[in-house]
Amino acid sequence: MISHIPNNPPHNTDTLYAQAHEAVGAFQFDESVVAVFPDMIQRSVPGYQAILSGIGELTQQHAQNNSNLYDLGCALGAATLTMRRKVEGKKCQIIAIDNSEAMIERAKEHLHAYHSEIPVQLHCADMTQFPIENASVVIINFTLQFIDPNQRETLLKTIYQGLNPGGILILSEKLHFNDPKLQQSIEHLHLQFKRANGYSELEISQKRSSLENVLITDTEQDHLTRFKKAGFQSAGIWFQAYNFASFLAIKTTP
Ligand code: GEK
């Protein structure tokens, strides 16, 4: 957790909402977001690093030889990099997809900065339109929440169909709670996390407006029901920090 923000922030510190905007537009994954993305996600998502480590461990456990590993909504490739390190020596390839050209361009640079024998295909594409085949691991790390809720079940079915028996889906999301008292208290913990990481009230409220109707959360139960409908035999939360959780869903049978 970053507890101190320098007076003159370096260019990659997230200050996108530090000044008052006349009108706050809908959040977009453009060049300005790409430039500050690692800082933004670290300071906004509790447990982000722990989830990446867990993704590495779970990938090492479940990656099958001669299969594909998918990172859907890869952004700058943080999960791809973690997976790649953990499957070195196995015969797998990683397919990483994001529909932001700016993200994909920067992800290319990040991936080229480290040597690896594991091939990575980077695609600028809509993950809801992308075929999933011969998969042993599929990661959706904080991206389903940006997909039209009406398309979520079909996407999960496509993933289930594309997974080999024994294959896994790791899905991380921001959650909401139907119980208003729980929602208020847990949301408060998240706001305190952002304040402790140096975000001002103005930044928090402008970011919230920009994400309205863009980031649409589900409850834990919505996710569990959807996993079941898609066909997954086992599914549950393996990590949670406040209102941010990561699920593991396993396809156990053909
Ligand atoms: C990480 N997983 O660091 N198809 C493909 N990509 C999409 C789509 C879509 N339909 N919609 C949004 N995206 C990353 C973090 S960020 C999470 C993922 C966040 C992409 C979008 O361009 C962005 O890069 C990513 O999903 C979400 O582990 O910003 O909270």
Side-chain angles (χ1 to χ4, degrees):
M1 176 153 47
I2 298 162
S3 56
H4 174 70
I5 303 300
N7 290 335
N8 295 310
H11 71 279
N12 57 355
T13 297
D14 172 21
T15 55
L16 293 180
Y17 294 98
Q19 308 300 325
H21 294 223
E22 261 182 38
V24 179
F27 190 82
Q28 287 184 333
F29 292 99
D30 56 16
E31 282 85 359
S32 65
V33 168
V34 167
V36 299
F37 188 74
D39 180 64
M40 173 187 283
I41 198 154
Q42 296 270 5
R43 288 163 65 206
S44 307
V45 176
Y48 177 68
Q49 277 306 333
I51 289 173
L52 286 177
S53 303
I55 284 174
E57 294 303 325
L58 289 166
T59 299
Q60 193 173 45
Q61 249 183 62
H62 294 274
Q64 300 164 354
N65 272 320
N66 304 310
S67 73
N68 297 323
L69 318 178
Y70 289 84
D71 182 5
L72 306 181
C74 63
L76 301 185
T80 293
L81 278 166
T82 307
M83 287 200 283
R84 193 171 70 167
R85 271 197 302 277
K86 289 291 194 173
V87 295
E88 213 63 68
K90 280 196 181 175
K91 287 195 179 68
C92 306
Q93 70 163 338
I94 302 178
I95 301 173
I97 296 154
D98 201 286
N99 68 349
S100 156
E101 189 76 53
M103 285 289 188
I104 289 288
E105 283 311 307
R106 187 63 65 87
K108 238 178 241 169
E109 291 168 23
H110 284 202
L111 289 166
H112 287 154
Y114 303 95
H115 173 78
S116 169
E117 297 298 324
I118 303 293
V120 177
Q121 291 181 28
L122 270 177
H123 296 271
C124 184
D126 181 347
M127 62 195 257
T128 62
Q129 304 300 315
F130 205 89
I132 308 290
E133 292 159 346
N134 183 25
S136 57
V137 177
V138 177
I139 309 296
I140 314 183
N141 206 30
F142 299 108
T143 302
L144 194 71
Q145 58 201 17
F146 295 107
I147 302 294
D148 176 350
N150 296 320
Q151 293 187 302
R152 294 178 186 180
E153 192 178 318
T154 308
L155 175 64
L156 256 73
K157 283 185 175 153
T158 304
I159 292 168
Y160 181 81
Q161 294 303 329
L163 276 168
N164 299 331
I168 62 165
L169 166 64
I170 301 173
L171 174 73
S172 314
E173 291 273 282
K174 184 177 185 183
L175 300 177
H176 71 262
F177 305 86
N178 284 335
D179 182 309
K181 290 215 168 2
L182 266 187
Q183 172 62 27
Q184 198 185 7
S185 281
I186 298 175
E187 174 71 12
H188 177 77
L189 291 173
H190 179 225
L191 291 179
Q192 287 297 82
F193 171 86
K194 293 189 78 163
R195 289 176 185 127
N197 282 339
Y199 283 118
S200 67
E201 299 308 312
L202 178 67
E203 285 176 297
I204 290 171
S205 83
Q206 293 194 126
K207 178 80 178 287
R208 181 195 290 255
S209 308
S210 77
L211 285 172
E212 214 168 320
N213 305 320
V214 175
L215 193 170
I216 301 167
T217 54
D218 290 315
T219 64
E220 175 182 354
Q221 195 52 53
D222 294 333
H223 284 291
L224 294 175
T225 304
R226 194 182 294 123
F227 286 130
K228 207 165 193 179
K229 279 193 182 164
F232 287 97
Q233 291 81 15
S234 305
I237 287 179
W238 65 273
F239 182 91
Q240 183 159 358
Y242 311 147
N243 44 349
F244 290 78
S246 191
F247 296 86
L248 171 63
I250 310 179
K251 175 171 179 171
T252 51
T253 55

